[in-house]
């Protein structure tokens, strides 16, 4: 096998590992959302042990038959799996990737997943709902980091496909995209405030969250309109704009359904199950929305490379400072 084909295979398999890690993280986010929704965060009140046992796989006989144990310990097991995949991805990146900033990003992902584990453990030991909120917010940053790492090993990024031309509309799209990523993450933080520290449906947090939802809708529509109107010739940006727009619509519908169910829920098992499904879906789709906004921001951040300056063929020098000429002649 030639070195070029071997190199291409390396990129392909690393891209698959990165995408697999992203998928596992989505499962972890959904599992964590279920833990919060059913109130199982303290099913195991100790850490790093589980009811005094260091047996990670089977701390309690038939623990999977107890819903609270299944939720909380299953979350710990899946988190350990995601941590292992993240370490493997960072090690492979450090060993093979020629880009120094990419290797540092891999180390950053490992640092975030370790921080997540510590925050989750301290949340249990200190019985802290505030740490639970921080844990949820850092989880979204970790997910966004993995999404960025996956983008950076795609052919689109490495071959510099989809670069915006140097026009005013490109600057407009950048501003809209950066604003979308920031506002979406702030909206996620507001959602964590509603779910974790017991704010519930208090008027202040609810009003902020609903206002934030409309702000997200407006900004995402702005991104979509600018991308559709001015960048038909940039498929990567246009596709990402469609993903961002579609995900925003689904997220808004899930948020509205969750709000209405919470305000008008009736007693019964069916409403509880519906609430868990809606809130977990809302958390997961919110993460996908954040990931799409990060991809869009990164894609539009790139500018065309300026052509290198060529030396005049007539032997003269033009626009060269005297100090540079002196240095060249010495």
């Amino acid at each position: 096998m030639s070195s070029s084909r071997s190199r291409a295979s390396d990129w392909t398999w690393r891209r698959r590992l990165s995408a697999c890690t992203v998928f596992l993280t989505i499962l972890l986010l959904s599992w964590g959302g279920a833990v919060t929704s059913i109130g199982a965060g303290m099913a195991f009140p100790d850490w790093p042990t589980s009811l005094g046992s260091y047996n990670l796989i089977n701390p309690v006989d038939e623990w999977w038959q107890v819903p609270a144990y299944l939720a909380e310990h299953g979350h710990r097991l899946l988190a350990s799996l995601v941590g292992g995949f993240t370490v493997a991805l960072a090690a492979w990146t450090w060993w093979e990737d020629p880009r120094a900033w990419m290797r540092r990003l891999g180390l950053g992902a490992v640092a975030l997943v370790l921080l997540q584990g510590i925050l989750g453990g301290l949340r249990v030991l200190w019985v802290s709902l505030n740490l639970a909120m921080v844990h949820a917010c850092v989880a979204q940053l970790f997910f966004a980091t993995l999404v960025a790492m996956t983008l950076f090993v795609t052919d689109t990024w490495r071959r510099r496909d989809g670069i915006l031309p140097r026009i005013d509309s490109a600057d407009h799209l950048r501003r809209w995209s950066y604003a979308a990523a920031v506002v979406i993450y702030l909206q996620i933080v507001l959602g964590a405030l509603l779910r974790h520290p017991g704010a519930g449906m208090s008027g202040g947090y609810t009003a902020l969250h609903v206002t934030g939802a409309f702000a997200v809708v407006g900004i995402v529509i702005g991104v979509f309109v600018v991308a559709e109107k001015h960048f038909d010739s940039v498929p990567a940006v246009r596709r990402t704009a469609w993903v961002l727009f579609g995900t925003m619509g689904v997220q808004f519908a899930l948020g509205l359904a969750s709000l209405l169910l919470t305000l008008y829920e009736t007693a019964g098992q069916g409403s509880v199950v519906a609430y868990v499904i809606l809130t977990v879906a809302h958390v997961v789709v919110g993460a996908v929305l954040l990931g799409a906004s990060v991809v869009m921001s990164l894609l539009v951040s790139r500018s065309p490379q300026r052509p290198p300056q060529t030396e005049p063929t007539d032997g003269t020098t033009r626009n060269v400072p005297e100090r540079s000429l002196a240095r060249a002649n010495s």
Side-chain angles (χ1 to χ4, degrees):
M1 181 183 294
S2 66
S3 59
S4 61
R5 291 190 61 184
S6 176
R7 190 65 178 168
S9 178
D10 172 69
W11 287 110
T12 299
W13 281 104
R14 187 142 52 94
R15 185 162 58 246
R16 290 171 180 171
L17 176 61
S18 188
C20 185
T21 308
V22 168
F23 175 73
L24 288 174
T25 304
I26 290 176
L27 290 181
L28 180 60
L29 289 170
S30 63
W31 205 300
V35 169
T36 300
S37 296
I38 68 175
M42 292 299 297
F44 289 84
D46 52 341
W47 180 84
T49 57
S50 298
L51 295 181
S53 173
Y54 284 97
N55 187 340
L56 180 64
I57 304 300
N58 192 37
V60 180
D61 289 339
E62 298 183 345
W63 57 269
W64 54 86
Q65 295 186 6
V66 181
Y69 286 177
L70 175 61
E72 173 59 13
H73 196 66
H75 183 62
R76 294 186 183 188
L77 287 175
L78 189 53
S80 300
L81 182 62
V82 169
F85 268 73
T86 304
V87 171
L89 178 62
W92 196 350
T93 300
W94 185 267
W95 186 261
E96 291 290 345
D97 204 296
R99 301 166 293 184
W101 58 267
M102 185 65 176
R103 297 196 295 270
R104 290 193 292 269
L105 185 61
L107 294 180
V110 173
L112 281 174
V113 80
L114 290 176
L115 177 61
Q116 268 298 85
I118 294 171
L119 287 172
L122 292 179
R123 176 264 182 273
V124 171
L125 294 178
W126 296 351
V127 196
S128 173
L129 289 174
N130 289 327
L131 275 182
M133 183 202 70
V134 176
H135 185 63
C137 295
V138 175
Q140 298 283 345
L141 289 178
F142 170 66
F143 176 75
T145 302
L146 290 179
V147 169
M149 290 185 67
T150 305
L151 172 66
F152 293 148
V153 293
T154 60
D155 292 339
T156 297
W157 185 271
R158 293 189 302 107
R159 296 173 183 172
R160 294 185 60 81
D161 293 338
I163 303 293
L164 299 184
R166 293 185 184 277
I167 57 177
D168 291 340
S169 298
D171 292 332
H172 296 159
L173 183 57
R174 289 187 184 100
R175 285 193 290 269
W176 279 107
S177 300
Y178 299 158
V182 171
V183 173
I184 288 170
Y185 184 71
L186 291 177
Q187 179 70 347
I188 287 173
V189 172
L190 286 173
L193 283 170
L194 277 171
R195 282 172 57 79
H196 290 89
M201 295 305 297
S202 65
Y205 282 124
T206 302
L208 280 174
H209 196 55
V210 172
T211 302
F214 282 102
V216 168
V217 170
I219 294 174
V220 169
I221 289 176
V223 173
F224 180 77
V225 169
V226 175
E228 276 290 298
K229 184 177 180 180
H230 299 284
F231 299 103
D232 278 348
S233 60
V234 190
V237 169
R238 192 164 177 265
R239 285 194 301 266
T240 306
W242 273 100
V243 171
L244 189 64
F245 182 75
T247 307
M248 178 272 294
V250 174
Q251 179 70 344
F252 187 85
L254 288 171
L256 180 61
S258 299
L259 177 63
L260 293 176
L261 182 64
T262 304
L263 290 173
Y264 303 107
E265 65 176 336
T266 58
Q269 185 68 24
S271 62
V272 174
V273 173
Y275 172 78
V276 172
I277 292 174
L278 282 174
T279 53
V280 170
H282 194 51
V283 169
V284 172
V285 176
V288 175
L289 182 62
L290 176 64
S293 70
V294 168
V295 170
M296 176 62 84
S297 297
L298 291 171
L299 286 175
V300 303
S301 67
R302 303 177 299 172
S303 299
Q305 292 179 335
R306 295 183 182 276
Q309 294 183 350
T310 58
E311 292 292 333
T313 57
D314 57 0
T316 62
T317 58
R318 299 175 183 174
N319 300 325
V320 180
E322 294 182 2
R323 187 177 302 172
S324 299
L325 285 175
R327 210 169 22 239
N329 295 328
S330 62

